[in-house]
Amino acid sequence: MSLDCLQTPCLLLDKQKLLNNINRLNKQLTRFNVTSRPHLKTLKSVDAARYMLGDLSAPCTVSTLQEARQFAQAGCKDITYAVGISEHKLPEILDLQNQGVTLHIIMDSFEQAQFVHAFCRENDCQLSCLIEIDCDGKRAGIKPDDPQLIAIAKILQSAGLFSGILTHAGGAYDCRSLDEIRAMAQQEQAAVRDAASKLQRHQISCDVISVGSTPTALLGEGFDQVTEVRAGVYASMDLVMADLGVCQPEDIALSVLTRVIGHNKEKNWLILDAGWMALSRDLGLAPQQNGYGRVCDETGDVLPGLYVNSANQEHGIVALPEGLDLSHFTIGTLLRILPNHACATAAQHAGYQVISDDEMDYWPRFGGW
Ligand SMILES: Cc1ncc(COP(=O)(O)O)c(C=O)c1O
């Protein structure tokens, strides 16, 4: 299919690759008989969510209230807002709940449990609360052996607000081999099992035991006692996932379509019409590894050794390796750039040009909070 009709730069979503990636996770989780609660924050698209969830009323995860609103309006009914709660967000959470959505919120402090408890008493309502567990020391959450865990669970349980626990092994992104990721997946699961058994000793049981990141979801084994797995970037994949070894560059469904708009003959550089506004400034795992993205030809085949080495606002620069001549890339040549970090690149665009064998479609996406 010719992409020549498209204005550049724009964001391409390869539908077959998207579906393959979604099938891969679904197969893995079916194998372990554990529920999928996909994170919808990467693509922020109702059309994409339909494929990720199968049925929009299936469990999903979001990272902003904007996502919660948009996906609730589209028909999502069981949403985990997986970012620590602050008091000023509670009225809107209740609003969504009153529209028939179950919106699980997360917290990792006694202070949060107290203001949620007070809010529910004042408003004569119930919210579903999950305690965030720290499984890797990388971000938020409470360690399974922190005595505060029991204190937080008790205040929530006393008002019927406690649903369970959740953790996210963001540390998987720092792993250097697939074996390290497998070990991180075990560590992630062990942390929630440990927290759940400590709670059980105080007669507090967890209906929800939630884990997840794309690397640990795809490489994890067992999932004993885990009730659900949250993965997000698995649907599109990106160069971070490819560099971790979780996928191949060929599996990445997202790319920025760009045209060659100039040559710097002295330096043997191609100038593209995709700068950091189209690609984002995210350099991925290791600065310089992939520059601002890996270069593919119009059909999506990776061109070995070609990267967007630097980026201005609307210009990308590809330094051609020795032996490769600018004449291979006449002005107007279409290229695709694979993103370092899908969430960041997608956020630069208003929607996706969805390409499949013989069809083109447009899926809008949203941003904001
Ligand atoms: C709380 C939480 N759960 C799940 C995910 C999904 O992780 P990934 O993007 O690796 O699939 C994220 C991603 O940041 C997250 O913050």
Side-chain angles (χ1 to χ4, degrees):
M1 181 186 32
S2 170
L3 301 176
D4 210 38
C5 56
L6 295 174
Q7 195 52 272
T8 52
C10 68
L11 194 56
L12 298 180
L13 187 58
D14 183 315
K15 193 168 173 186
Q16 194 52 55
K17 290 184 182 183
L18 177 83
L19 298 182
N20 293 346
N21 292 335
I22 291 171
N23 281 340
R24 180 180 166 199
L25 180 77
N26 290 349
K27 258 194 181 161
Q28 154 82 349
L29 298 185
T30 304
R31 187 174 147 227
F32 291 105
N33 197 22
V34 61
T35 299
S36 180
R37 181 183 282 279
H39 205 315
L40 304 178
K41 71 177 185 152
T42 303
L43 297 174
K44 294 190 205 277
S45 147
V46 171
D47 299 282
R50 274 185 231 287
Y51 291 98
M52 292 169 76
L53 302 180
D55 170 358
L56 281 178
S57 63
C60 65
T61 312
V62 299
S63 62
T64 62
L65 284 184
Q66 173 77 318
E67 291 163 56
R69 261 177 242 126
Q70 299 267 356
F71 290 119
Q73 199 175 12
C76 290
K77 295 255 172 287
D78 178 2
I79 304 175
T80 296
Y81 171 44
V83 169
I85 195 68
S86 65
E87 199 168 1
H88 70 286
K89 296 202 176 84
L90 292 176
E92 196 167 350
I93 303 267
L94 180 56
D95 234 31
L96 281 164
Q97 185 158 287
N98 288 339
Q99 290 166 34
V101 178
T102 302
L103 197 55
H104 313 275
I105 57 175
I106 72 167
M107 63 199 65
D108 60 1
S109 69
F110 194 70
E111 189 185 344
Q112 287 167 307
Q114 269 182 317
F115 67 63
V116 170
H117 184 270
F119 176 87
C120 289
R121 201 180 45 226
E122 280 156 28
N123 291 279
D124 192 20
C125 67
Q126 294 230 302
L127 296 174
S128 166
C129 299
L130 304 172
I131 299 178
E132 185 173 12
I133 304 297
D134 180 1
C135 64
D136 58 8
K138 292 289 173 188
R139 193 169 67 188
I142 184 161
K143 290 263 190 297
D145 54 4
D146 187 326
Q148 283 286 304
L149 172 65
I150 309 299
I152 300 169
K154 276 190 172 161
I155 182 174
L156 294 173
Q157 198 192 33
S158 69
L161 309 177
F162 180 72
S163 295
I165 53 179
L166 168 150
T167 196
H168 165 61
Y173 282 58
D174 297 331
C175 290
R176 289 291 162 262
S177 68
L178 294 183
D179 279 343
E180 279 189 30
I181 296 174
R182 288 186 190 101
M184 180 57 73
Q186 290 311 317
Q187 184 177 319
E188 184 182 42
Q189 293 178 35
V192 284
R193 279 195 286 269
D194 186 12
S197 76
K198 290 205 161 71
L199 288 163
Q200 194 56 58
R201 265 179 248 143
H202 291 262
Q203 284 74 52
I204 301 171
S205 35
C206 297
D207 292 338
V208 177
I209 299 183
S210 182
V211 300
S213 72
T214 290
T216 56
L218 286 171
L219 290 162
E221 299 267 332
F223 296 96
D224 302 341
Q225 294 178 47
V226 168
T227 64
E228 59 176 43
V229 175
R230 309 174 321 278
V233 79
Y234 75 98
S236 64
M237 295 295 190
D238 57 20
L239 288 171
V240 166
M241 288 301 126
D243 289 340
L244 284 172
V246 169
C247 72
Q248 298 302 313
E250 294 71 32
D251 300 324
I252 300 173
L254 205 60
S255 60
V256 173
L257 186 70
T258 179
R259 282 189 172 89
V260 175
I261 54 163
H263 296 148
N264 182 325
K265 296 195 173 92
E266 195 186 322
K267 299 198 162 117
N268 210 31
W269 286 353
L270 294 178
I271 315 291
L272 311 179
D273 66 1
W276 57 256
M277 275 294 241
L279 302 171
S280 93
R281 276 204 171 281
D282 202 313
L283 290 171
L285 279 187
Q288 310 314 324
Q289 187 160 328
N290 297 307
Y292 289 85
R294 288 192 73 168
V295 182
C296 303
D297 68 12
E298 179 185 351
T299 68
D301 287 341
V302 174
L303 298 173
L306 264 62
Y307 305 92
V308 180
N309 302 88
S310 65
N312 298 160
Q313 187 163 340
E314 300 297 352
H315 297 76
I317 295 173
V318 179
L320 294 187
E322 228 170 281
L324 196 53
D325 199 87
L326 289 173
S327 61
H328 287 95
F329 303 94
T330 53
I331 307 288
T333 299
L334 282 168
L335 296 170
R336 296 194 203 178
I337 312 300
L338 298 179
N340 282 320
H341 181 182
C343 306
T345 300
Q348 304 297 113
H349 297 262
Y352 307 93
Q353 300 292 343
V354 181
I355 51 172
S356 52
D357 278 348
D358 47 6
E359 262 181 17
M360 220 184 275
D361 201 354
Y362 181 77
W363 292 353
R365 55 166 278 132
F366 53 84
W369 290 263

Coordinates of all heavy atoms in Angstrom, one line a residue, residues 37-42 61-63 80-83 106 132 139 166-170 172-173 188 210-217 229-235 238 241 244 341 343, ligand 1:
R37 N -5.6 -6.9 32.7 CA -6.2 -5.6 32.9 C -5.3 -4.6 32.1 O -4.4 -4.0 32.7 CB -6.3 -5.3 34.4 CG -6.9 -3.9 34.7 CD -6.9 -3.6 36.1 NE -7.9 -4.3 36.9 CZ -9.2 -3.9 37.0 NH1 -9.6 -2.9 36.3 NH2 -10.1 -4.6 37.7
P38 N -5.4 -4.6 30.8 CA -4.5 -3.8 30.0 C -4.4 -2.3 30.5 O -5.5 -1.7 30.9 CB -5.0 -3.9 28.6 CG -5.8 -5.1 28.6 CD -6.4 -5.2 30.0
H39 N -3.2 -1.7 30.4 CA -3.0 -0.3 30.7 C -3.2 0.4 29.4 O -2.6 0.1 28.4 CB -1.6 -0.1 31.3 CG -1.6 1.1 32.1 ND1 -2.1 2.3 31.7 CD2 -1.0 1.4 33.4 CE1 -2.0 3.2 32.7 NE2 -1.3 2.7 33.7
L40 N -4.1 1.4 29.4 CA -4.5 2.1 28.1 C -3.8 3.4 27.9 O -4.1 4.1 27.0 CB -6.1 2.3 28.1 CG -6.9 1.0 28.3 CD1 -8.4 1.4 28.3 CD2 -6.6 0.0 27.2
K41 N -2.8 3.6 28.8 CA -2.2 5.0 28.7 C -1.2 5.2 27.5 O -0.9 6.3 27.2 CB -1.3 5.2 30.0 CG -0.1 4.3 30.0 CD 0.8 4.6 31.2 CE 2.0 3.8 31.1 NZ 3.2 4.3 31.7
T42 N -0.8 4.2 26.9 CA 0.2 4.4 25.8 C -0.5 4.9 24.6 O -0.2 6.0 24.1 CB 0.9 3.0 25.4 OG1 1.5 2.5 26.6 CG2 1.9 3.3 24.3
T61 N -6.8 -0.4 32.9 CA -6.0 0.4 33.8 C -5.8 1.8 33.0 O -5.6 1.8 31.8 CB -4.6 -0.2 34.0 OG1 -4.8 -1.6 34.4 CG2 -3.9 0.5 35.1
V62 N -5.8 2.9 33.8 CA -5.5 4.2 33.3 C -4.5 4.9 34.2 O -4.3 4.5 35.3 CB -6.8 5.0 33.1 CG1 -7.8 4.4 32.1 CG2 -7.4 5.3 34.4
S63 N -3.9 6.0 33.6 CA -3.0 6.7 34.4 C -3.4 8.2 34.6 O -2.7 8.9 35.3 CB -1.6 6.7 33.7 OG -1.7 7.3 32.5
T80 N -9.0 0.7 36.8 CA -8.1 1.0 37.9 C -7.3 2.2 37.5 O -6.7 2.3 36.5 CB -7.1 -0.2 38.1 OG1 -7.9 -1.3 38.5 CG2 -6.1 0.2 39.2
Y81 N -7.4 3.2 38.4 CA -6.6 4.5 38.2 C -5.3 4.3 39.0 O -5.3 4.4 40.2 CB -7.5 5.7 38.7 CG -6.7 7.0 38.8 CD1 -5.9 7.4 37.7 CD2 -6.8 7.8 39.9 CE1 -5.2 8.6 37.8 CE2 -6.2 9.0 39.9 CZ -5.3 9.4 38.9 OH -4.7 10.6 39.0
A82 N -4.3 3.9 38.2 CA -3.1 3.3 38.9 C -2.0 4.3 39.1 O -0.8 4.1 38.8 CB -2.5 2.1 38.0
V83 N -2.4 5.5 39.7 CA -1.5 6.5 40.1 C -2.0 6.9 41.5 O -3.2 7.1 41.6 CB -1.5 7.7 39.1 CG1 -0.8 8.9 39.6 CG2 -0.9 7.3 37.8
I106 N -5.6 3.9 44.1 CA -4.4 3.3 44.8 C -3.8 4.3 45.7 O -3.9 5.5 45.5 CB -3.4 2.7 43.8 CG1 -2.6 3.8 43.1 CG2 -4.0 1.7 42.8 CD1 -1.3 3.2 42.4
E132 N -0.8 0.2 47.2 CA 0.4 0.0 46.3 C 1.6 -0.6 47.1 O 2.0 0.0 48.1 CB 0.7 1.3 45.6 CG 1.8 1.1 44.6 CD 2.1 2.3 43.7 OE1 1.6 3.4 44.1 OE2 2.8 2.2 42.7
R139 N 10.0 3.4 42.7 CA 9.1 4.5 42.6 C 8.3 4.6 43.9 O 8.8 4.9 45.0 CB 8.3 4.4 41.4 CG 7.5 5.7 41.0 CD 6.9 5.6 39.6 NE 5.8 4.7 39.5 CZ 5.2 4.4 38.3 NH1 5.6 4.9 37.2 NH2 4.3 3.5 38.3
L166 N -1.6 -3.9 44.8 CA -1.1 -3.7 43.4 C 0.3 -3.4 43.5 O 0.8 -2.6 44.3 CB -2.0 -2.6 42.8 CG -1.6 -1.9 41.5 CD1 -2.8 -1.5 40.7 CD2 -0.6 -0.8 41.7
T167 N 1.1 -3.9 42.5 CA 2.5 -3.5 42.4 C 2.8 -3.4 40.9 O 2.2 -3.9 40.0 CB 3.4 -4.4 43.1 OG1 4.7 -3.8 43.3 CG2 3.6 -5.7 42.4
H168 N 3.9 -2.6 40.6 CA 4.4 -2.4 39.2 C 5.9 -2.5 39.2 O 6.6 -1.7 39.9 CB 3.9 -1.1 38.7 CG 4.7 -0.6 37.5 ND1 4.6 -1.3 36.3 CD2 5.5 0.5 37.2 CE1 5.3 -0.7 35.4 NE2 5.8 0.4 35.9
A169 N 6.4 -3.5 38.5 CA 7.9 -3.7 38.5 C 8.5 -2.9 37.4 O 9.0 -3.3 36.4 CB 8.2 -5.2 38.3
G170 N 8.5 -1.5 37.7 CA 9.2 -0.6 36.8 C 10.7 -0.9 36.7 O 11.3 -0.6 35.7
A172 N 12.0 -3.5 35.9 CA 12.2 -4.4 34.8 C 12.9 -3.7 33.7 O 13.6 -4.3 32.9 CB 10.9 -5.1 34.3
Y173 N 12.7 -2.4 33.6 CA 13.3 -1.6 32.6 C 14.8 -1.4 32.7 O 15.5 -1.0 31.8 CB 12.6 -0.2 32.5 CG 11.2 -0.2 31.8 CD1 10.2 -1.0 32.3 CD2 11.0 0.6 30.7 CE1 9.0 -1.0 31.7 CE2 9.7 0.6 30.1 CZ 8.7 -0.2 30.6 OH 7.5 -0.2 30.0
E188 N 8.5 -9.4 41.6 CA 7.2 -8.7 41.6 C 6.1 -9.5 42.3 O 5.4 -9.1 43.1 CB 6.9 -8.3 40.2 CG 5.7 -7.5 40.0 CD 5.4 -7.2 38.5 OE1 5.5 -8.1 37.7 OE2 5.0 -6.0 38.2
S210 N -2.8 -7.5 42.1 CA -2.5 -7.0 40.8 C -1.0 -6.8 40.6 O -0.4 -6.1 41.4 CB -3.3 -5.7 40.6 OG -3.2 -5.2 39.3
V211 N -0.5 -7.3 39.5 CA 1.0 -7.0 39.1 C 1.0 -6.6 37.7 O 0.1 -6.7 37.0 CB 1.8 -8.3 39.3 CG1 1.8 -8.9 40.7 CG2 1.4 -9.4 38.2
G212 N 2.2 -6.1 37.3 CA 2.3 -5.9 35.9 C 3.2 -4.8 35.4 O 3.3 -3.7 35.9
S213 N 3.9 -5.2 34.3 CA 4.6 -4.3 33.4 C 4.8 -5.2 32.1 O 4.6 -6.4 32.3 CB 6.0 -3.9 33.9 OG 6.9 -5.1 33.9
T214 N 5.0 -4.6 31.0 CA 5.1 -5.4 29.8 C 6.2 -6.5 29.9 O 6.0 -7.7 29.7 CB 5.3 -4.5 28.6 OG1 4.1 -3.9 28.4 CG2 5.7 -5.4 27.3
P215 N 7.5 -6.1 30.4 CA 8.5 -7.2 30.5 C 8.1 -8.3 31.4 O 8.2 -9.5 31.1 CB 9.7 -6.5 31.0 CG 9.5 -5.0 30.6 CD 8.0 -4.8 30.7
T216 N 7.6 -8.0 32.6 CA 7.3 -9.0 33.6 C 6.0 -9.8 33.2 O 5.9 -11.0 33.6 CB 7.2 -8.5 35.0 OG1 6.2 -7.4 35.0 CG2 8.5 -7.9 35.5
A217 N 5.1 -9.1 32.5 CA 3.9 -9.9 32.1 C 4.2 -10.9 31.1 O 3.7 -12.0 31.1 CB 2.9 -8.9 31.6
V229 N -3.1 -9.1 35.7 CA -1.8 -8.6 35.2 C -2.1 -7.3 34.4 O -3.0 -7.3 33.5 CB -1.1 -9.6 34.4 CG1 0.2 -9.1 33.7 CG2 -0.8 -10.9 35.2
R230 N -1.3 -6.3 34.6 CA -1.5 -5.0 33.9 C -0.2 -4.8 33.0 O 0.9 -4.7 33.5 CB -1.6 -3.8 34.8 CG -2.7 -3.9 35.9 CD -2.6 -2.8 36.9 NE -1.2 -2.4 37.1 CZ -0.4 -2.9 38.0 NH1 -0.8 -4.0 38.8 NH2 0.8 -2.5 38.2
A231 N -0.5 -4.8 31.7 CA 0.6 -4.4 30.8 C 0.1 -3.3 29.8 O -1.1 -3.3 29.6 CB 1.1 -5.6 30.0
G232 N 0.9 -2.4 29.4 CA 0.5 -1.3 28.5 C 1.2 -1.2 27.2 O 0.5 -1.4 26.1
V233 N 2.5 -1.1 27.2 CA 3.2 -0.8 26.0 C 3.3 -2.1 25.1 O 3.7 -2.0 23.9 CB 4.6 -0.2 26.3 CG1 5.6 -1.3 26.8 CG2 5.1 0.6 25.2
Y234 N 2.9 -3.2 25.7 CA 2.9 -4.5 24.9 C 2.2 -4.4 23.6 O 2.5 -5.1 22.6 CB 2.3 -5.6 25.7 CG 0.8 -5.6 25.8 CD1 0.0 -6.4 24.9 CD2 0.2 -4.8 26.7 CE1 -1.3 -6.3 25.0 CE2 -1.2 -4.7 26.7 CZ -2.0 -5.5 25.9 OH -3.3 -5.4 25.9
A235 N 1.2 -3.6 23.5 CA 0.3 -3.5 22.3 C 1.1 -2.9 21.1 O 0.9 -3.4 20.0 CB -1.0 -2.8 22.6
D238 N 8.0 -0.8 21.5 CA 8.9 0.3 21.1 C 10.3 -0.2 21.2 O 10.6 -1.3 21.5 CB 8.6 1.5 22.0 CG 8.7 1.3 23.5 OD1 9.4 0.3 23.9 OD2 8.2 2.1 24.3
M241 N 11.5 -1.7 24.5 CA 11.2 -3.1 24.7 C 12.1 -4.0 23.8 O 12.5 -5.1 24.2 CB 9.7 -3.4 24.3 CG 8.7 -2.8 25.3 SD 9.0 -3.6 26.9 CE 9.2 -2.1 27.9
L244 N 15.4 -4.3 25.4 CA 15.4 -5.2 26.5 C 15.3 -6.7 26.1 O 15.5 -7.6 26.9 CB 14.2 -4.9 27.4 CG 14.2 -3.7 28.3 CD1 12.8 -3.5 28.9 CD2 15.2 -3.9 29.4
H341 N 10.3 5.4 22.9 CA 9.3 5.2 24.0 C 7.9 5.6 23.4 O 7.6 6.7 23.1 CB 9.6 6.2 25.1 CG 8.7 6.1 26.3 ND1 8.8 6.8 27.4 CD2 7.6 5.2 26.5 CE1 7.9 6.5 28.3 NE2 7.1 5.5 27.7
C343 N 4.9 5.7 24.4 CA 4.0 6.7 25.1 C 4.3 8.1 24.8 O 3.5 8.9 24.5 CB 4.0 6.5 26.6 SG 3.8 4.8 27.2
Ligands
LIG1 C1 1.1 1.2 37.7 C2 1.4 0.7 36.4 N1 1.0 -0.5 36.0 C3 1.2 -1.0 34.8 C4 2.1 -0.3 33.9 C5 2.3 -0.9 32.5 O1 3.7 -1.1 32.3 P1 4.2 -1.3 30.8 O2 4.1 0.1 30.1 O3 5.6 -1.8 31.0 O4 3.4 -2.2 30.1 C6 2.6 0.9 34.2 C7 3.5 1.7 33.3 O5 4.1 2.7 33.7 C8 2.3 1.5 35.5 O6 2.7 2.7 36.0

